[in-house]
Amino acid sequence: SFNLAADCNAVLKALQPIFQEQGMTETVHNWEDHGYLATYIKKNGSFANLRIHPHGLVLVDLQSYNDHMKGREEVDQLLNKVEERMKELFHGNIKRVKRLPAILRGGVIDRYWPTADGRLVEYDIDEVVYDEDSPFQNIKILHSKQFGNILILSGDVNLAESDLAYTQAIMGSGKEDYTGKEVLILGGGDGGILYEIVKLKPKMVTMVASNIDQMVIDGCKKYMRKTCGDVLDNLKGECYQVLIEDCIPVLKRYAKEGRMFDYVINDLTAVPISTSPEEDSTWEFLRLILDLSMKVLKQDGKYFTQGNCINLTDALTLYEEQLSRLYCPVEFSKETVCVPSYMELWVFYTIWKKQTDI
């Protein structure tokens, strides 16, 4: 980008020889008052787009099919020449030069996944460990050099083997005593929460989720063992059980039976990004789960859940407003935790029933 308006014709004439030296065929489009678009095509199918804007922005995009290091080096060399030529001729007028890393498309390994607030993150994925479609969703487990195996459900990064911080936060960040307690986990199909709580000698842990996906459990118990250990090998253990059922009928049944829990941990879904709770069915589901959970939570019990990315302030504020609309009055606190594989700060909530004066 230039400090001042660009002389589009001068920029084009300066860069044309670089592409022509590569044996690339040139096509130039000129729009009055809107600058130039020049395209350069090589015989091997590689091509470049040179877009020159009069207000002072010059964009160069290169695309080529390169499955070897030599091809990538050729692209780098061409970009180096463009950058050197621009600095040589327009150095005093250049405000900024920025080169973005190559985006690799169409490969077996997909490295690009969005954050909750819409930013594109490139992961160091080097292996597709598991990729299957269940009746409910697409299930991927990809290996990252930094984060270990990562569970991705329908394009949403759920949990990596590196993400003990997530599990600890949604359990109360080490401040709770689970010894001899009754615990209900909603969701948690990766087994991470169950594995960590069983270590703390609870009386009984029941794990149930809305349409819990057996294929998620099967994939995780095979490929996410650093997260779930051996707790998913059997659906029942000495102090836990896993129910392959819809959590809503189960919660309604527990409420009717008067069954109560010391802790309810909701790992079903993040706070919806939508800012229209009245129109979004995910918000309706979330409110229903909240109300049912409060009905099975002991008066002195605690409800833990994830919120969402700290940048989604509107969605988080709306969630906190929903807490004032439950059948019983509640209070809450929240903390922010860095979850490694999310590459963003994540908000977690602790909710409890408001104590009434006698």
Side-chain angles (χ1 to χ4, degrees):
S1 58
F2 289 97
N3 290 311
L4 303 170
D7 182 339
C8 298
N9 189 53
V11 173
L12 179 64
K13 288 187 177 301
L15 297 182
Q16 276 177 323
I18 295 174
F19 297 101
Q20 291 168 351
E21 288 168 6
Q22 301 292 318
M24 304 178 86
T25 303
E26 179 188 67
T27 303
V28 179
H29 303 272
N30 178 13
W31 298 280
E32 188 176 348
D33 299 327
H34 295 287
Y36 288 87
L37 169 64
T39 61
Y40 298 91
I41 302 174
K42 207 169 184 178
K43 289 182 179 180
N44 65 2
S46 300
F47 68 92
N49 289 325
L50 172 62
R51 182 70 171 97
I52 308 168
H53 295 270
H55 66 273
L57 179 65
V58 178
L59 302 175
V60 180
D61 294 315
L62 282 168
Q63 289 193 31
S64 63
Y65 180 77
N66 291 317
D67 56 358
H68 53 83
M69 189 58 66
K70 182 179 179 181
R72 296 180 189 180
E73 289 175 354
E74 290 175 355
V75 170
D76 284 338
Q77 289 171 5
L78 181 58
L79 288 173
N80 288 339
K81 289 180 180 179
V82 169
E83 189 172 323
E84 289 167 6
R85 183 66 171 157
M86 293 289 286
K87 287 181 177 178
E88 177 185 330
L89 294 178
F90 307 104
H91 189 275
N93 198 26
I94 291 178
K95 180 171 67 174
R96 182 166 62 110
V97 175
K98 176 70 175 180
R99 186 185 301 189
L100 300 177
I103 295 177
L104 307 179
R105 308 178 187 185
V108 175
I109 297 173
D110 187 357
R111 304 179 179 186
Y112 307 97
W113 300 95
T115 60
D117 59 351
R119 292 172 292 112
L120 187 63
V121 173
E122 180 177 3
Y123 287 85
D124 55 348
I125 303 297
D126 59 5
E127 182 183 359
V128 178
V129 177
Y130 181 83
D131 188 355
E132 297 290 342
D133 289 312
S134 79
F136 310 108
Q137 59 201 331
N138 173 259
I139 306 162
K140 285 185 174 65
I141 298 177
L142 307 178
H143 181 263
S144 157
K145 298 173 185 177
Q146 293 182 82
F147 307 122
N149 286 346
I150 305 175
L151 174 65
I152 300 175
L153 300 179
S154 295
D156 181 35
V157 174
N158 270 236
L159 197 75
E161 291 177 320
S162 63
D163 296 343
L164 182 60
Y166 176 100
T167 304
Q168 291 175 331
I170 206 169
M171 290 171 52
S173 296
K175 301 170 187 175
E176 306 299 321
D177 182 5
Y178 285 91
T179 307
K181 301 297 176 62
E182 291 273 0
V183 183
L184 177 63
I185 302 172
L186 306 176
D190 53 71
I193 299 171
L194 180 61
Y195 180 56
E196 295 301 323
I197 288 184
V198 165
K199 297 177 186 177
L200 304 177
K201 303 188 182 306
K203 180 179 179 181
M204 175 56 68
V205 183
T206 301
M207 187 171 97
V208 60
S210 176
N211 289 331
I212 193 166
D213 199 329
Q214 181 66 53
M215 288 181 66
V216 173
I217 290 178
D218 292 342
C220 289
K221 73 180 180 183
K222 187 172 182 179
Y223 299 113
M224 299 281 291
R225 293 189 78 85
K226 290 182 181 179
T227 295
C228 66
D230 59 358
V231 295
L232 297 180
D233 292 351
N234 298 290
L235 298 183
K236 285 190 177 181
E238 184 178 340
C239 63
Y240 73 89
Q241 61 177 341
V242 178
L243 304 180
I244 312 295
E245 299 181 47
D246 188 332
C247 70
I248 292 177
V250 172
L251 282 168
K252 289 180 177 178
R253 184 172 74 243
Y254 287 166
K256 186 176 180 180
E257 295 170 353
R259 185 171 177 186
M260 305 295 282
F261 295 87
D262 297 287
Y263 295 98
V264 177
I265 301 175
N266 179 357
D267 193 34
L268 287 168
T269 182
V271 168
I273 295 175
S274 166
T275 53
S276 301
E278 295 78 13
E279 301 173 6
D280 192 320
S281 61
T282 309
W283 278 103
E284 185 179 341
F285 171 77
L286 185 147
R287 282 192 296 264
L288 178 60
I289 293 295
L290 269 168
D291 256 331
L292 290 172
S293 296
M294 290 302 114
K295 289 178 180 178
V296 300
L297 184 68
K298 292 181 180 180
Q299 189 62 36
D300 59 350
K302 289 184 180 179
Y303 174 94
F304 296 118
T305 191
Q306 61 167 319
N308 211 313
C309 166
I310 194 172
N311 287 344
L312 297 173
T313 53
D314 290 344
L316 294 171
T317 298
L318 278 171
Y319 177 74
E320 293 167 17
E321 290 176 3
Q322 306 310 306
L323 298 180
S324 64
R325 302 177 185 177
L326 302 181
Y327 87 95
C328 66
V330 300
E331 296 178 304
F332 71 91
S333 63
K334 58 185 175 181
E335 70 170 329
T336 301
V337 173
C338 180
V339 180
S341 76
Y342 289 13
M343 300 194 200
E344 54 190 333
L345 297 178
W346 210 252
V347 178
F348 293 85
Y349 286 93
T350 302
I351 302 166
W352 60 92
K353 294 178 179 179
K354 190 173 183 179
Q355 302 300 317
T356 55
D357 295 331
I358 299 176

